[in-house]
Amino acid sequence: MARAFVFPGQGSQDVGMGKALADAFPSARAVFEEVDDALGEKLSALIWEGPKETLTLTENAQPALMAVSMAVVRALEAERGVSLGKTVSFVAGHSLGEYSALAAAGAFSLGDAARLLRLRGRAMQKAVPVGLGGMAALLGVGVDVAEKVAAEAAQGDVCDVANDNEPTQVVLSGHKTAIDRVAEIGKAHGVRRAVPLPVSAPFHCALMQPAADAMAEALASVKVNTPVVPVVANVLAAPLSDPEEIKKRLIEQVTQRVRWRECVAAMSALGVTDFYEIGAGKVLAGLVKRTAPTANAVSIGLPTDIDAALAALTS
């Protein structure tokens, strides 16, 4: 039996997340204080009090979700004696969650992770003028079909696979004109539904190159340590531990697809039977179960979740 900690991406945010952790555990509260200090503002007040539309802005949601995930990790470590290095074999995260995973494994300091994600969120938002990009989730088909739909919908525009989430859910990203063609083209390929996503920019596609350039510059001056356990990288769907390669793959991640289905499958093939989603929401636990039906998938985001999972984590 092996375990993995997995960390959620954008979309899992909600006003009030992490407040119960901060109230229950001094170590969790300290995480939010450290993130506030790193950013020079009270992000914690926005996380706990809203408004939701401001929290949902990419530049806020990314460091906020990382903060909640790290509050769970610190509470497990400091309050409940769980050692990440001894408890799990791998960490992985969905898009921005990869930064949370790396921070949890000691590759990034908490302050650096917060500053990088603030910059990443702003750079991704600025890369494409509002209204020119879009994203859509294809339901009922896998990545092979999604690639065909994307190719037909492009017609000279950018239309890329952004997220390969699970065997029947793939997200496309690119110019809004191309994304608008996806639903009709998808019908001929067996797509059950094509759902436009309420996002402010077309993430994980070629249009994000300016943001990738910004991250390359930022990561060049940040110290990356060897993680205490390997991180399964989004763009490789394979474990990494080398600091320089971690930086390289994080830069590529901005424009390339999140290979989440393959990440889960790779961890399963490497013996992982128990996946713990660390942070806000329960999205990843659902994706894990649809990719690896025999796996155990548990979400830990509240003090009660920590205590419920403790026996399994320390056995």
Side-chain angles (χ1 to χ4, degrees):
M1 181 191 77
R3 307 181 191 93
F5 279 2
V6 296
F7 296 82
Q10 209 162 321
S12 291
Q13 70 275 354
D14 203 6
V15 173
M17 63 183 184
K19 183 67 166 68
L21 291 164
D23 289 344
F25 304 118
S27 57
R29 178 168 285 279
V31 167
F32 292 103
E33 292 169 353
E34 194 173 336
V35 169
D36 286 350
D37 288 345
L39 298 180
E41 65 182 70
K42 279 279 192 182
L43 184 66
S44 58
L46 175 61
I47 296 170
W48 296 335
E49 299 163 20
K52 185 166 186 174
E53 56 269 24
T54 307
L55 176 61
T56 301
L57 293 174
T58 301
E59 66 182 70
N60 295 325
Q62 294 200 20
L65 284 160
M66 184 277 300
V68 176
S69 289
M70 284 303 298
V72 175
V73 170
R74 293 281 174 85
L76 283 167
E77 292 176 333
E79 317 288 342
R80 296 294 185 263
V82 174
S83 165
L84 187 143
K86 294 177 182 176
T87 302
V88 303
S89 300
F90 303 99
V91 293
H94 193 287
S95 190
L96 83 90
E98 193 163 308
Y99 286 79
S100 307
L102 287 161
F108 285 134
S109 71
L110 182 56
D112 281 343
R115 286 184 288 267
L116 284 167
L117 286 171
R118 167 55 57 82
L119 186 150
R120 183 178 181 269
R122 286 178 173 165
M124 291 172 93
Q125 185 60 65
K126 283 169 48 181
V128 180
V130 173
L132 291 188
M135 299 180 76
L138 305 188
L139 306 181
V141 297
V143 70
D144 292 346
V145 171
E147 287 172 344
K148 292 174 184 174
V149 173
E152 287 184 34
Q155 299 177 22
D157 293 330
V158 169
C159 190
D160 296 337
V161 172
N163 304 337
D164 177 9
N165 282 333
E166 48 103 329
T168 61
Q169 186 196 111
V170 183
V171 176
L172 302 185
S173 180
H175 285 109
K176 186 176 186 299
T177 45
I179 297 300
D180 286 346
R181 292 189 281 266
V182 163
E184 192 59 37
I185 290 168
K187 289 177 185 176
H189 290 276
V191 174
R192 192 171 75 244
R193 281 179 68 207
V195 182
L197 300 182
V199 293
S200 55
F203 305 125
H204 298 290
C205 76
L207 297 174
M208 287 287 112
Q209 188 58 49
D213 295 340
M215 292 312 296
E217 184 178 346
L219 284 161
S221 60
V222 171
K223 178 173 174 55
V224 178
N225 304 307
T226 302
V228 296
V229 296
V231 58
V232 177
N234 282 187
V235 299
L236 291 182
L240 287 183
S241 291
D242 177 70
E244 286 308 310
E245 189 167 11
I246 286 169
K247 286 187 180 185
K248 179 182 176 184
R249 302 308 179 182
L250 286 174
I251 296 162
E252 292 175 356
Q253 190 222 57
V254 179
T255 56
Q256 294 188 23
R257 76 180 63 169
V258 175
R259 296 168 59 184
W260 188 251
R261 175 186 58 83
E262 293 176 88
C263 288
V264 172
M267 286 184 277
S268 294
L270 290 166
V272 173
T273 54
D274 296 274
F275 292 82
Y276 291 86
E277 180 176 12
I278 305 295
K282 299 184 177 182
V283 171
L284 295 188
L287 298 182
V288 166
K289 288 297 290 181
R290 290 193 286 278
T291 300
T294 61
N296 212 8
V298 176
S299 300
I300 305 179
L302 298 168
T304 49
D305 298 333
I306 288 175
D307 291 331
L310 202 57
L313 286 172
T314 53
S315 62

